[in-house]
Amino acid sequence: VEEIQKQSNGTFALPKDGLHLPTFINNLEKNMVEEAMAKMMNNQTRAAEMLQIPVHAFRHLLHKHNLHTNGSSHNNELP
């Protein structure tokens, strides 16, 4: 697993041996989608808003990363 080290100035340094950027970005994207869903209690609309992307793009990411919410791909709206 590739590790990125955060430097004291807030930037990130590449590992000594480099990394596979597409894999790193894919994993980061999946983690952000999972975290947004958890923080928004599986509400897709609010999770999309948290990530500042359209709901249709968020649902695409759910499908892309094979993430499911309560066995449904539908939106779990709160009142």
Side-chain angles (χ1 to χ4, degrees), residues 4-13:
I4 299 288
Q5 300 296 319
K6 188 171 185 180
Q7 299 177 358
S8 60
N9 65 0
T11 62
F12 294 91

PDB file of all heavy atoms in Angstrom, residues 4-13:
ATOM      1  N   ILE A   4       1.306   8.226   1.618  1.00  0.00           N
ATOM      2  CA  ILE A   4       1.644   9.622   1.364  1.00  0.00           C
ATOM      3  C   ILE A   4       1.857  10.268   2.729  1.00  0.00           C
ATOM      4  O   ILE A   4       1.013  10.147   3.611  1.00  0.00           O
ATOM      5  CB  ILE A   4       0.501  10.350   0.622  1.00  0.00           C
ATOM      6  CG1 ILE A   4       0.233   9.698  -0.725  1.00  0.00           C
ATOM      7  CG2 ILE A   4       0.801  11.825   0.477  1.00  0.00           C
ATOM      8  CD1 ILE A   4       1.290   9.933  -1.748  1.00  0.00           C
ATOM      9  N   GLN A   5       2.967  10.938   2.891  1.00  0.00           N
ATOM     10  CA  GLN A   5       3.285  11.584   4.160  1.00  0.00           C
ATOM     11  C   GLN A   5       2.945  13.061   4.094  1.00  0.00           C
ATOM     12  O   GLN A   5       3.347  13.756   3.155  1.00  0.00           O
ATOM     13  CB  GLN A   5       4.772  11.406   4.492  1.00  0.00           C
ATOM     14  CG  GLN A   5       5.201   9.958   4.619  1.00  0.00           C
ATOM     15  CD  GLN A   5       4.514   9.257   5.770  1.00  0.00           C
ATOM     16  OE1 GLN A   5       4.342   9.819   6.846  1.00  0.00           O
ATOM     17  NE2 GLN A   5       4.094   8.020   5.541  1.00  0.00           N
ATOM     18  N   LYS A   6       2.197  13.526   5.098  1.00  0.00           N
ATOM     19  CA  LYS A   6       1.888  14.954   5.176  1.00  0.00           C
ATOM     20  C   LYS A   6       3.065  15.664   5.818  1.00  0.00           C
ATOM     21  O   LYS A   6       3.568  15.257   6.853  1.00  0.00           O
ATOM     22  CB  LYS A   6       0.613  15.183   5.985  1.00  0.00           C
ATOM     23  CG  LYS A   6       0.144  16.613   5.950  1.00  0.00           C
ATOM     24  CD  LYS A   6      -1.218  16.785   6.559  1.00  0.00           C
ATOM     25  CE  LYS A   6      -1.699  18.202   6.395  1.00  0.00           C
ATOM     26  NZ  LYS A   6      -3.022  18.392   6.971  1.00  0.00           N
ATOM     27  N   GLN A   7       3.498  16.736   5.170  1.00  0.00           N
ATOM     28  CA  GLN A   7       4.621  17.508   5.676  1.00  0.00           C
ATOM     29  C   GLN A   7       4.130  18.588   6.623  1.00  0.00           C
ATOM     30  O   GLN A   7       2.938  18.912   6.669  1.00  0.00           O
ATOM     31  CB  GLN A   7       5.396  18.118   4.512  1.00  0.00           C
ATOM     32  CG  GLN A   7       5.958  17.057   3.579  1.00  0.00           C
ATOM     33  CD  GLN A   7       6.667  17.659   2.373  1.00  0.00           C
ATOM     34  OE1 GLN A   7       6.717  18.874   2.198  1.00  0.00           O
ATOM     35  NE2 GLN A   7       7.211  16.806   1.538  1.00  0.00           N
ATOM     36  N   SER A   8       5.038  19.174   7.378  1.00  0.00           N
ATOM     37  CA  SER A   8       4.671  20.188   8.368  1.00  0.00           C
ATOM     38  C   SER A   8       4.034  21.423   7.739  1.00  0.00           C
ATOM     39  O   SER A   8       3.258  22.116   8.394  1.00  0.00           O
ATOM     40  CB  SER A   8       5.896  20.595   9.183  1.00  0.00           C
ATOM     41  OG  SER A   8       6.891  21.135   8.330  1.00  0.00           O
ATOM     42  N   ASN A   9       4.307  21.689   6.466  1.00  0.00           N
ATOM     43  CA  ASN A   9       3.731  22.865   5.813  1.00  0.00           C
ATOM     44  C   ASN A   9       2.357  22.582   5.204  1.00  0.00           C
ATOM     45  O   ASN A   9       1.808  23.414   4.503  1.00  0.00           O
ATOM     46  CB  ASN A   9       4.685  23.424   4.760  1.00  0.00           C
ATOM     47  CG  ASN A   9       4.906  22.471   3.605  1.00  0.00           C
ATOM     48  OD1 ASN A   9       4.350  21.372   3.559  1.00  0.00           O
ATOM     49  ND2 ASN A   9       5.731  22.880   2.656  1.00  0.00           N
ATOM     50  N   GLY A  10       1.820  21.372   5.443  1.00  0.00           N
ATOM     51  CA  GLY A  10       0.488  21.032   4.960  1.00  0.00           C
ATOM     52  C   GLY A  10       0.457  20.395   3.592  1.00  0.00           C
ATOM     53  O   GLY A  10      -0.599  19.995   3.118  1.00  0.00           O
ATOM     54  N   THR A  11       1.598  20.309   2.924  1.00  0.00           N
ATOM     55  CA  THR A  11       1.653  19.649   1.622  1.00  0.00           C
ATOM     56  C   THR A  11       1.958  18.165   1.825  1.00  0.00           C
ATOM     57  O   THR A  11       2.212  17.717   2.945  1.00  0.00           O
ATOM     58  CB  THR A  11       2.725  20.287   0.714  1.00  0.00           C
ATOM     59  OG1 THR A  11       3.999  20.115   1.316  1.00  0.00           O
ATOM     60  CG2 THR A  11       2.433  21.758   0.473  1.00  0.00           C
ATOM     61  N   PHE A  12       1.941  17.417   0.736  1.00  0.00           N
ATOM     62  CA  PHE A  12       2.191  15.993   0.813  1.00  0.00           C
ATOM     63  C   PHE A  12       3.427  15.637  -0.002  1.00  0.00           C
ATOM     64  O   PHE A  12       3.694  16.242  -1.039  1.00  0.00           O
ATOM     65  CB  PHE A  12       0.977  15.205   0.297  1.00  0.00           C
ATOM     66  CG  PHE A  12      -0.216  15.376   1.182  1.00  0.00           C
ATOM     67  CD1 PHE A  12      -1.130  16.390   0.947  1.00  0.00           C
ATOM     68  CD2 PHE A  12      -0.426  14.534   2.259  1.00  0.00           C
ATOM     69  CE1 PHE A  12      -2.229  16.565   1.770  1.00  0.00           C
ATOM     70  CE2 PHE A  12      -1.524  14.699   3.083  1.00  0.00           C
ATOM     71  CZ  PHE A  12      -2.425  15.709   2.845  1.00  0.00           C
ATOM     72  N   ALA A  13       4.174  14.649   0.482  1.00  0.00           N
ATOM     73  CA  ALA A  13       5.386  14.207  -0.206  1.00  0.00           C
ATOM     74  C   ALA A  13       5.163  12.831  -0.813  1.00  0.00           C
ATOM     75  O   ALA A  13       4.522  11.971  -0.202  1.00  0.00           O
ATOM     76  CB  ALA A  13       6.549  14.153   0.775  1.00  0.00           C
TER      77      ALA A  13
END
